[in-house]
Amino acid sequence: MSEKVVNLEINGRGFQAREGMTILEVAKREGIPIPTLCHHDALEPVGACRLCMVEITHPNWRGWKGLVTACLYPVEEGLQVTTESQEIHQVRKTILDLLLARCPDAPYIQKVAAEHGVTATSFKKNEVQTVCILCGLCVRVCAVKGCNAIGTARRGIRREIAAPFGMPPPDCIGCTSCAHICPTDAIPWEDVNGVRKIWDQEFEMVRCVSCGRPIMPVTQLEFEAKRAGISPDYMTTCPACSQQKTLETIRTAFTIKRPASEDAVEAAS
Amino acid sequence: MRINSVKSLTRAAGRARGERKRLETEVLVCAGTGCLANGSMDVAEAFLGAIRRRKLEARLKLGFKTTGCHGFCEKGPLVIIQPQGIFYKGVKAKDVKEIVDQTLLKGQVIQRLLYRDPNTKQRVEQYAEIPFYSKQHRIALRNIGKIDPKCIDDCLAVGGYTGLAKALTEMKPTEVIDAVTESGLRGRGGGGFPTGRKWKTCREAEDPTKYVLCNADEGDPGAFMDRSICEGDPHAVLEGMVIGAWAVGASKGYIYVREEYPLAVKHLQAAIEQARERGFLGDDILGTGFSYDVQIARGGGAFVCGESSALMKSVAGEVGEPRAKYVHSVIRGLYDKPTVLNNVETWANVPWIITEGAAAFASLGTKKSTGTKTFSLVGKVKNTGLVEVPMGITLREIIYDIGGGIIKNRPFKGVQTGGPSGGCLPEGKLDLPVDFDTLTEAGSMMGSGGMIVMDDRTCMVDVARYFLKFLVDESCGKCVPCREGVHQLHQTVNDICAGNGRPGDLERIEALSDVVVKASLCALGKSAPNPILSTLRYFREEYEAHINDRKCPAGVCRNLFTFRISPEICNGCGLCAKSCPVDCIAGEKKEVHVIDASVCTRCGACRNVCPTDAVEVI
Amino acid sequence: MSETSIDPDRVRSILTRYPQGDGSGLIHALQDIQAEFGYVACEAVARLCEHLNIPLSKAFSVATFYKAFSLEPKGETIIRVCTGTACHIRGSQILADELSSLLDVEPGGTTKDLKFTLETVNCVGACAMAPVVAFNGVYQGNVQPGALTRKIRGGK
Ligand SMILES: Cc1cc2nc3c(=O)[nH]c(=O)nc-3n(C[C@H](O)[C@H](O)[C@H](O)COP(=O)(O)O)c2cc1C
Ligand code: FES
């Protein structure tokens, strides 16, 4: 990203930002709320939900103004942004209204819609109802992980998130990142007796060497170790236990005079 | 074989022309997709057989070739005999013997095969005198129908690649851009963006790796101009692209061709290979040191891939989803490199502009829309086919003078241009000049050139429903307003057509359309409501009849009307009964016929065949 | 569904046309697979992905996004009803409905006996002869309601 600093206005107030930042990034930094559904700070924006639409204009644009997605639009010198107006509200309401027709039973969409004054859809409900809003966060997070196990299938109104050929995805490591990032909890998963189930697949879990609780699927462990270039053995302690261990290591290091307990000796070795 | 200088190009062209002059007669058979579908390959084979058997080549100094589309698809298969310019239409393989005996050997014209002007009832012998052709002005289609598109020498004989030679040896890249800018050429793919300006921005972009692409996706269902150009004169497109590549400094490019166009792919591929062989493409073009090469990328059957950013994704082997173009593709396009994308017809105009000069092009058409535009004139018009006319001509001239008016002289109702992104214009707009800005102002758009003529038996609500269905199927589904919004628009109009319209539907359609236009990610969604908004603007009463009276006045929406044979008009000819697929029409010969409405499927077959228009919609 | 088995040699010979590890060949290679086997079979796609070094999910997205690809084998006769604008206003919807009820499949579907696949296409570019129906690529123009029923019943 360039180091050049630009001046812009959001809702009449002046701000500075690095050139190339998006309107959304600047607004977030300044605590100006802009609603989003398909955005996540750790992922590339795609502009799919269109909820973040704001109005922009510029003194040099001879009065031209228009709506753009804040999550994608890069700020530039002199840009003037308005985040709330009658028109913007109408757009956001309609989008949520449309999503409610698609996902009438998704609590999260009901909540966001209600915040915008939409309590029930004014459209005919879609024939096939789901809780998936196709924001694509799951696909993007899976790609960032380096797995690319799931993707979109088909197009238009029949578009869906799917595993290839409807079979358990061969590239899935069972990490559940997709399920965790999903704003509407559309991806089911469960851990039962040391076995994880997700995407119609079962994954044997590794158990913590200290406490014996399941940590993560074997496949994920191997994948992450390989990516980090370390031996999987370094990763066989659950986060709670390894934090405990670290604490105890530190404690031992600083309290040499006190007779070491057996546990601490074990931890330090 | 390889042509390494302008001089050797001139020599090669001279040789090719000499070869042609040697011939005393030439038979041209149209082998465009339309004529092929009508059986022109059988005609061509019959000619080849006769020529071989009867040794006509030597006896008559006869040349024979199959050409690209002549445009007059309605009357195909077409056969033209040069230099006399005799134009035979609707030729069948069994007519070939007679053509050889009478016309080729005796010089006699066969009246039966000539075109008959439907208005004057006169037979017309000459190609150029047929009104369908005489009002046209061909630049992009300049060689189509005259040359064998599979033969590069044929193309050289009519001046192919002289524009390229001139650009590479006499003009600096910036001068080429200036010429294109001065010509006023605007993109023929629909948007009408000034081509010169696009090239200039790309040239000035910093990245040294650049691409020059051709959009041959032709997604408008009802348009086949680009296909005809690729099939009939592929070298014109290649020549334009090399000139463009020289102007912007690109060394690689792709032609993105629609999956449904196998013949276009074949001809383009052959042309690319020949052009490489001759030194018009590849390394060290015409011995100038400039290099540029082209590959074909075949589409996979997705309308949205005509959109520039989706097209570039598709070329890279990905799902054709558009991206937001806050940074334009001339700066960051294919593989994130500066990219020029132009339409087939745009490219085909470029060599002409270079050889004939920017001023010659700018002198045609109107001030802001210069040059010509090709249209595929289809629907309920007498002469369907491919036409190229100067910009600024009126819709009426195209439909009535060139198109010959409406089939069976029925009343004109509307004309649709711009495909799924365009709109329908009514009778009152027929005298509008056809140019980019006027059509947009009127609520339609130029589009890539599909022009669909509709008569009183076309239901405008059904037309809107048709385009919405198309767009529902073709939306990529990435953004909410297009995916869900167009789906809802379609649902509502579907309900109206099925007789389930509700008061307030039209207002709801307008409100939702407004958001779809404003909030969609790409131009597909942004323009998706156009067909419905334009029909609402000009044919609102037809929507109201559907909703309030539960009637489809045009007799298309099958739940909303019944057919009845008017006893006053019926002359008892019995054609209707013969045509009925469900046998629900009864009546004795010369007696009034009656439709059994409980069995009738309302397919309209009887109405189409009734010579007295006795089949009424009630 | 009786799936034709996928001959690995035929797949291999398609793969050799595409440089290893170059994902941009995906659409073309899938087109070749579709042409060779009549559908994009999962096994063939899996091999292709290894060859081009792309994830299976991506190939699946592409194979389901574009209309040119079918995940299932098609019928002996592919009937394509043109539903371009010109054909539509000259009544192609009636033809599609007629075939749909005659063959008892929705457009895009294949009859159970694998005899027919019914498809609709957006314009085959023979608008002058609208409405147009193509039987295995052979165009038939100016089709009247009822004609297709007679043709298919006659051929059955
Ligand atoms: C949904 C959509 C479909 C399009 N389809 C085509 C097409 O089939 N052919 C074409 O040349 N341009 C098409 N365009 C326009 C292209 O995006 C692009 O503007 C054009 O190819 C640029 O070339 P031009 O300036 O020479 O017209 C389409 C645009 C959209 C939004
Ligand atoms: S957050 Fe910007 S479009 Fe979804």
Side-chain angles (χ1 to χ4, degrees), chain B residues 83-104:
Chain B
Q84 297 88 334
I86 300 169
F87 179 90
Y88 287 148
K89 52 112 188 125
V91 179
K92 298 269 172 305
K94 63 175 167 43
D95 300 323
V96 168
K97 185 171 180 306
E98 193 181 346
I99 297 178
V100 172
D101 289 340
Q102 298 298 319
T103 311
L104 296 183

Side-chain angles (χ1 to χ4, degrees), chain A residues 24 35-39 45-53 69-72:
Chain A
L24 184 64
T36 64
L37 281 174
C38 69
H39 183 80
V46 292
C49 74
R50 321 302 289 171
L51 201 62
C52 68
M53 298 217 93
T69 42
C71 67
L72 283 170

Side-chain angles (χ1 to χ4, degrees), chain B residues 186-195 198 214-220 226 258 303-309 311 325 341-347 421 448 471 522-525 527:
Chain B
R186 294 169 68 173
R188 292 332 193 213
F193 192 84
T195 306
K198 191 188 274 188
C214 172
N215 191 341
D217 194 45
E218 194 154 73
D220 175 357
D226 295 349
R258 185 157 183 243
F303 171 68
V304 68
C305 287
E307 194 275 343
S308 56
S309 64
L311 182 146
K325 287 190 283 188
L341 170 71
N342 279 120
N343 165 263
V344 169
E345 188 184 338
T346 315
W347 286 123
S421 313
S448 57
L471 291 159
C522 82
L524 187 150
S527 61

Side-chain angles (χ1 to χ4, degrees), chain B residues 460-482:
Chain B
M460 290 314 198
V461 187
D462 176 70
V463 168
R465 188 186 63 88
Y466 165 78
F467 281 114
L468 288 168
K469 168 78 169 59
F470 177 91
L471 291 159
V472 167
D473 287 343
E474 296 296 338
S475 160
C476 79
K478 179 174 173 177
C479 78
V480 176
C482 176

